[in-house]
């Protein structure tokens, strides 16, 4: 059964205070990443335990596989000028094998095929719009190219709900972040340290890496600061986005690149054949796996491509037995996805009776939840 529009909004609401948003990472608070709190929900017994993330091994057994997203966040917000010297902002995402990027451009009327931009203090990096891939989404070629150039001309798209940017950009990366190209943070894996991952592997748990490049979403603060002008906004699936040139609301989630290697697929299939569980960390890794898994058998096929898969109540998971995620804001798409494992009423009950009263912290610098 699919959700109605009314269910997608009111059903996923709960009392929330912004004080529950973790503003600083564990390192700044004087603790380790793995010291985050962990709420464990057992769907079979309908029981809840309150632990620390470092206790995760208690709930995994030899033969299990832990799936994590190894995407690395890049400085994706590029401030520059167009051919007429007027300010523009470009948000790049989803790098292609030929070195080009997908991107959003504001002001939107600036975006036409062949338009050239200049970035950097001295305009030393040029960009050319090649063509429009879909409404409001363009292909951009940078010269010089390569991921490294973004560190010179770009800024990480930190979320607006953080009062200030992290002191160290590495705070906004996971310990597995080896594949540059994500615009946003695959935050569910932030709590892992190399030591914790090593102990899980010694325990007999396979750590399986997949890549899912989380795509761009505009944020109000950058536009106010850099463009100094009003833009027309649309609310699509709970996320504020600028409208395309023709006033058409941009889709969310927009297609995002994923890669599942032969090694990753083989390991997951072998573990399942031997009776092991597949524990998926984070919504992005989950969407990548559900995209490549066989509908009938649940077999994971290697491959790369694009997905805008939306998961929610009623979805039959093909490859995920347990789910590890952070705590999500009311009415968010991530909260709806998480409810596919429990049902919306049960998940909201846990939030109201266990998460909020016990002061769990939300979002990327907050705490974690394991659903078994």
């Amino acid at each position: 059964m699919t959700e109605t529009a009314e269910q997608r909004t009111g059903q996923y609401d709960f009392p929330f205070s912004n004080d529950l948003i973790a503003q600083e990472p564990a390192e700044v608070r004087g603790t380790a990443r793995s010291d985050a709190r962990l709420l464990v929900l057992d769907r079979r017994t309908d029981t809840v335990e309150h632990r620390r993330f470092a206790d995760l091994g208690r709930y995994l057994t030899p033969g299990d596989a832990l799936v994590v997203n190894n995407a690395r966040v890049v400085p994706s917000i590029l401030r520059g000028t167009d051919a007429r010297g007027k300010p523009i902002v470009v948000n790049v995402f989803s790098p292609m094998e030929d070195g080009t990027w997908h991107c959003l451009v504001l002001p939107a009327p600036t975006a036409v095929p062949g338009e050239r931009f200049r970035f950097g203090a001295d305009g030393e990096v040029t960009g050319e719009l090649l063509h429009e891939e879909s409404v409001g989404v363009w292909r951009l070629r940078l010269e010089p190219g390569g991921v490294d150039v973004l560190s010179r001309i770009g800024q990480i798209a930190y979320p607006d709900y953080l009062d200030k940017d992290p002191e160290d950009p590495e705070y906004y990366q996971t310990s597995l972040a080896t594949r540059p190209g994500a615009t946003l943070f695959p935050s569910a894996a932030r709590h892992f340290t190399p030591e914790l991952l090593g102990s899980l592997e010694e325990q007999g748990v396979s750590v399986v890496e997949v890549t899912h490049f989380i795509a761009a979403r505009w944020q109000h603060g950058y536009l106010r600061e850099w463009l100094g002008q009003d833009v027309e906004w649309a609310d699509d699936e709970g996320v504020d986005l600028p409208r395309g040139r023709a006033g058409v609301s941009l889709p969310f989630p927009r297609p995002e690149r994923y890669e599942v290697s032969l090694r990753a697929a083989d390991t997951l299939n072998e573990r399942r054949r031997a009776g092991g569980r597949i524990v998926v960390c984070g919504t992005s890794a989950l969407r990548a796996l559900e995209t490549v898994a066989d509908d009938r058998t649940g077999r994971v096929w290697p491959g790369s491509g694009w997905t805008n898969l939306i998961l929610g109540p009623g979805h039959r998971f093909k490859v995920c037995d347990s789910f590890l995620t952070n705590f999500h804001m009311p009415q968010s798409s991530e909260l709806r996805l998480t409810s596919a494992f429990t049902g919306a009423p049960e998940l909201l009950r846990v939030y109201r009776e266990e998460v909020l009263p016990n002061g769990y912290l939300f979002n990327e610098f907050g705490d974690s939840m394991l659903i078994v």
Side-chain angles (χ1 to χ4, degrees), residues 174-226:
T174 72
S175 61
L176 299 123
T178 57
R179 297 294 310 281
T183 294
L184 297 177
F185 187 32
S187 56
R190 188 187 192 279
H191 311 293
F192 284 107
T193 62
E195 294 77 15
L196 178 55
L197 290 168
S199 69
L200 292 176
E201 290 182 319
E202 290 177 2
Q203 183 180 326
V205 176
S206 288
V207 177
V208 178
E209 298 182 23
V210 300
T211 302
H212 185 112
F213 293 123
I214 305 174
R217 306 176 197 176
W218 283 113
Q219 304 196 46
H220 296 248
Y222 295 112
L223 302 177
R224 288 195 299 267
E225 176 185 355
W226 289 353

Side-chain angles (χ1 to χ4, degrees), residues 60 64-67 277-281 320-324 370:
L60 304 181
D64 288 346
L66 171 69
V67 185
R277 295 174 303 162
I278 307 301
V279 182
V280 182
C281 178
C320 179
D321 300 304
S322 296
F323 185 50
L324 189 62
L370 174 65

Side-chain angles (χ1 to χ4, degrees), residues 21 25 41 99 102 104 113 119 136 139 153 286 313 324 341 347 353:
I21 297 176
L41 172 63
H102 291 75
L104 306 178
F119 304 103
R139 185 76 71 84
I153 64 173
L286 180 64
L324 189 62
F341 288 93
L347 183 64
E353 297 180 6

